[in-house]
């Protein structure tokens, strides 16, 4: 497949350029990465250069595999373990409003061609939902691996959006 012929990425750079309400902070519950076969890709680190976050919401929370439950969900989890997933599972960049962008650098445990990724919105303020972004391989701007998402609206009550990673055309 075209995906399996891609050069494996050691790092990915997600540049978020818009949120639902301009001037708001950016918040993201989870970023899941998948290889060409649909298997989840392990992440060893996440950084937010130039960003600032409250102590409980560092960039590592975006890739910890815990997805918060939307407050708009009609099926709230019943177990204490499931309820605990709702708390503190998001990354917040409070500098998004001032800078107009937020960067999430993700280091993969093993270099892997990216087949797809899934963004999950946080469970509270829709104003901070990302609506536009670009993804770059090995954190270099000229290595864009997906078309820039512009004015993306999360279907199904803001919970999740899935995008295939396809090399951008020049």
């Amino acid at each position: 497949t075209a995906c399996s012929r891609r050069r494996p990425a050691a790092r990915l750079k997600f540049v978020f350029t818009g949120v639902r309400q301009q001037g708001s902070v950016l918040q993201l519950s989870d970023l899941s990465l998948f290889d060409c076969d649909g298997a989840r890709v392990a992440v060893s680190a996440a950084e937010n250069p130039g960003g600032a976050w409250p102590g409980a919401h560092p960039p590592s929370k975006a890739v910890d595999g815990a997805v918060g439950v939307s407050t708009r969900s009609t099926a709230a989890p019943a177990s204490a373990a499931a309820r605990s997933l709702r708390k503190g599972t998001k990354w917040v960049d409070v500098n998004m409003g001032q800078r107009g962008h937020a960067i999430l650098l993700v280091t993969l445990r093993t270099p892997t061609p990216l087949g797809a990724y899934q963004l999950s919105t946080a469970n509270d303020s829709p104003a901070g939902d990302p609506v536009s972004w670009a993804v770059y391989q090995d954190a270099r701007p000229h290595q864009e691996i997906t078309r820039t998402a512009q004015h993306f609206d999360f279907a199904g009550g803001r919970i999740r959006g899935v995008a295939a990673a396809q090399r951008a055309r020049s």
Side-chain angles (χ1 to χ4, degrees):
T1 67
C3 179
S4 62
R5 290 190 301 267
R6 286 192 196 127
R7 186 171 56 85
R11 291 181 56 162
L12 298 170
K13 179 179 183 180
F14 284 77
V15 180
F16 296 94
T17 54
V19 290
R20 194 176 294 271
Q21 183 178 339
Q22 187 176 359
S24 293
V25 303
L26 173 94
Q27 56 180 17
L28 189 66
S29 178
D30 188 64
L31 166 64
S32 297
L33 306 172
F34 304 94
D35 67 14
C36 297
D37 296 323
R40 188 149 182 167
V41 174
V43 173
S44 61
E47 304 166 55
N48 179 211
W53 54 89
H57 304 296
S60 60
K61 294 289 187 175
V63 294
D64 64 2
V67 179
V69 177
S70 171
T71 56
R72 294 182 185 191
S73 174
T74 57
S79 71
R83 282 194 305 275
S84 71
L85 289 178
R86 288 191 249 181
K87 299 177 183 172
T89 64
K90 65 184 173 186
W91 160 55
V92 174
D93 185 349
V94 298
N95 285 350
M96 174 73 180
Q98 292 177 320
R99 295 176 53 186
H101 72 277
I103 297 171
L104 184 64
L105 292 177
V106 179
T107 303
L108 307 183
R109 188 168 295 151
T110 303
T112 307
L114 182 65
Y117 60 93
Q118 175 176 290
L119 300 175
S120 299
T121 59
N123 67 348
D124 52 3
S125 176
D129 291 351
V131 295
S132 58
W133 62 87
V135 184
Y136 302 93
Q137 182 169 320
D138 293 327
R140 293 184 298 229
H142 65 280
Q143 293 291 324
E144 187 172 2
I145 60 172
T146 185
R147 290 185 184 275
T148 302
Q150 300 265 346
H151 308 294
F152 186 84
D153 192 15
F154 286 88
R158 301 181 43 245
I159 302 291
R160 298 178 183 193
V162 179
Q166 298 178 343
R167 186 167 303 280
R169 295 182 195 153
S170 302

